[in-house]
Amino acid sequence: MTRNIPYSKSSIILFITSLFIISCSADKGGENSDDGNNPSLDFEISSTTSSAGKSAISFQTAKDVTKLLISAKSGKNNSIKFTKVNSSNANYLNPGNEELSLAKQATPIVNSINIPSRSIDEALIGSTKFDVEIEVEGTSIEGDQITFSVSSRADTNFNSGSMLINVFYVGAVGLEETTKLAVKEGLNVAQNILSNTGISTSIVEKDITGPVNLPSPFTGSNIYENASKSVSFPAINLFVGGNIDESSDGTILGISAGIPGPATPSVKSAVVVSIFNSAGADGRFSQEDIRILGETFAHESGHYMGLFHPVDFNGSQVAGTDPLTDTESCSFITDCISRQSLIENLMFASPVADGNGGFVAQNKLTNDQKSVLNRYIAVN
Ligand SMILES: [Zn+2]
């Protein structure tokens, strides 16, 4: 869920991404911001974990619900993973042993799953009963009060829709006019990329106080919870900061809190992008830096909406592929970067040098990827 810059801007090879995973969450409900015609938080259920750290709930959707997002949040800051997400006729967690999200991996504090995720996944038709089980990991797993939040929509169009993006300029970043201008241009780039998936976006900008180095949204922070409570949801909450804590080596362009991220306000309701790393060593935004910044906004939002990288690397080897059939795969890095349609994909793990001193534009998405984006709960 991260996007890194290449080791060297002149290199023909790119860089490596550490898949830090993440997932996401939800919490707090009730105070849905606006959007009266489209309740974004349907309900919350609390349940306490057993001595084995397990908890389960069941619920029934309203008959017109076509998509939903379930988040589970630990009350003890444990890591949390889903172990079962079943309707009466489908396994949504890992059908055919395929993981469609990070929901099955234990991640800090909150985790989320969006249903359905792919076009080939069982559609929701009519009122549907769900059985959901989670397990926490940590030092005190018994008696953890888990808050399950369920958000849903009656959206019958999975080919297009609209989505809100809340942009937060954190701390000093908001005081720099040149930075803000670059961000605005980058947002235009991201909006154009998303519009090619059928998703039109509206943007609300806000200045907030906060540190130059932002915490990773993977581990969560009150900064993200407080800010996400102050705006409408569900949405992409895009935090523009100087740097990201995880990025001590200065190579991380952005991080999403999860695949997918939560629909309701929480410590992990965030996508974070580093302005320092996006501007590069010279600290100035060239036109190409701005284009890459916009691609990073869209790439991290893509993770938050449920997309993996088509291929993930471990050194020069491919360590994993996404659960989609029409994204390209490859076996090792030189093979992968020789495939134009792969390196032009928005969700390729990092920018790729074009051999002429610049970088390949990464703005393409496959039909399966578009399907995932249009199924995310924030798209209406
Ligand atoms: Zn990524």
Side-chain angles (χ1 to χ4, degrees):
M1 114 161 350
T2 60
R3 190 163 192 249
N4 302 54
I5 51 180
Y7 287 134
S8 155
K9 287 211 171 189
S10 58
S11 161
I12 195 127
I13 296 297
L14 47 159
F15 78 124
I16 300 307
T17 220
S18 44
L19 214 213
F20 301 3
I21 312 291
I22 329 320
S23 146
C24 0
S25 100
D27 91 326
K28 229 53 190 278
E31 53 245 317
N32 185 1
S33 338
D34 56 2
D35 241 27
N37 60 340
N38 223 319
S40 54
L41 177 72
D42 294 15
F43 58 86
E44 286 188 347
I45 305 173
S46 282
S47 171
T48 304
T49 54
S50 66
S51 57
K54 297 180 179 180
S55 176
I57 61 166
S58 293
F59 62 88
Q60 186 113 16
T61 64
K63 67 178 188 325
D64 57 351
V65 166
T66 58
K67 55 181 168 184
L68 70 155
L69 187 139
I70 307 167
S71 288
K73 180 193 177 192
S74 164
K76 287 184 170 182
N77 288 349
N78 281 319
S79 287
I80 192 162
K81 65 183 177 189
F82 287 86
T83 50
K84 179 182 183 182
V85 182
N86 280 5
S87 72
S88 33
N89 34 4
N91 162 12
Y92 286 99
L93 186 59
N94 56 337
N97 265 336
E98 202 142 34
E99 293 191 32
L100 311 187
S101 68
L102 294 176
K104 209 166 171 291
Q105 306 209 20
T107 60
I109 310 175
V110 281
N111 207 332
S112 300
I113 182 167
N114 194 85
I115 299 164
S117 173
R118 304 172 300 180
S119 54
I120 58 172
D121 296 334
E122 188 84 8
L124 295 178
I125 299 165
S127 180
T128 307
K129 179 170 183 277
F130 275 90
D131 294 312
V132 177
E133 296 176 9
I134 62 92
E135 197 173 322
V136 297
E137 294 181 3
T139 50
S140 175
I141 61 173
E142 182 175 7
D144 187 353
Q145 186 172 326
I146 306 301
T147 305
F148 292 91
S149 303
V150 179
S151 307
S152 68
R153 286 206 194 265
D155 176 12
T156 54
N157 180 352
F158 286 167
N159 296 311
S160 64
S162 57
M163 183 175 74
L164 171 65
I165 301 177
N166 298 307
V167 178
F168 298 93
Y169 297 94
V170 186
V173 167
L175 304 175
E176 296 266 353
E177 266 324 300
T178 51
T179 299
K180 264 191 158 166
L181 275 174
V183 169
K184 284 175 197 292
E185 288 182 57
L187 289 170
N188 281 334
V189 172
Q191 286 185 292
N192 283 334
I193 293 171
L194 287 170
S195 73
N196 288 329
T197 72
I199 299 170
S200 63
T201 47
S202 53
I203 289 178
V204 172
E205 295 170 279
K206 199 166 175 176
D207 293 299
I208 61 171
T209 57
V212 172
N213 290 314
L214 288 174
S216 167
F218 174 62
T219 47
S221 165
N222 288 334
I223 293 172
Y224 308 133
E225 176 156 42
N226 293 335
S228 59
K229 280 179 178 172
S230 74
V231 292
S232 297
F233 61 89
I236 301 292
N237 295 314
L238 180 56
F239 291 80
V240 183
N243 227 324
I244 309 171
D245 275 354
E246 298 271 3
S247 182
S248 50
D249 62 353
T251 64
I252 292 184
L253 298 172
I255 300 181
S256 162
I259 301 175
T264 46
S266 77
V267 294
K268 293 176 73 171
S269 298
V271 160
V272 181
V273 170
S274 162
I275 279 299
F276 294 165
N277 291 342
S278 297
D282 62 6
R284 291 168 167 274
F285 278 99
S286 65
Q287 275 312 114
E288 182 165 65
D289 289 336
I290 288 170
R291 193 200 78 226
I292 294 173
L293 176 65
E295 291 170 359
T296 300
F297 289 154
H299 176 103
E300 297 305 331
S301 298
H303 282 313
Y304 200 89
M305 298 167 78
L307 291 178
F308 285 96
H309 299 144
V311 289
D312 269 303
F313 298 96
N314 180 9
S316 62
Q317 300 298 313
V318 169
T321 57
D322 70 20
L324 305 177
T325 54
D326 71 351
T327 48
E328 223 173 318
S329 40
C330 47
S331 46
F332 51 93
I333 205 160
T334 45
D335 172 26
C336 301
I337 62 166
S338 71
R339 298 169 187 248
Q340 200 65 16
S341 67
L342 185 57
I343 60 176
E344 289 177 354
N345 193 280
L346 175 70
M347 298 312 295
F348 196 72
S350 61
V352 179
D354 64 6
N356 295 312
F359 290 89
V360 174
Q362 294 179 318
N363 51 24
K364 306 240 168 57
L365 289 154
T366 67
N367 287 334
D368 283 350
Q369 289 176 314
K370 292 175 186 178
S371 295
V372 171
L373 296 178
N374 274 281
R375 279 165 177 72
Y376 184 63
I377 193 75
V379 179
N380 195 20

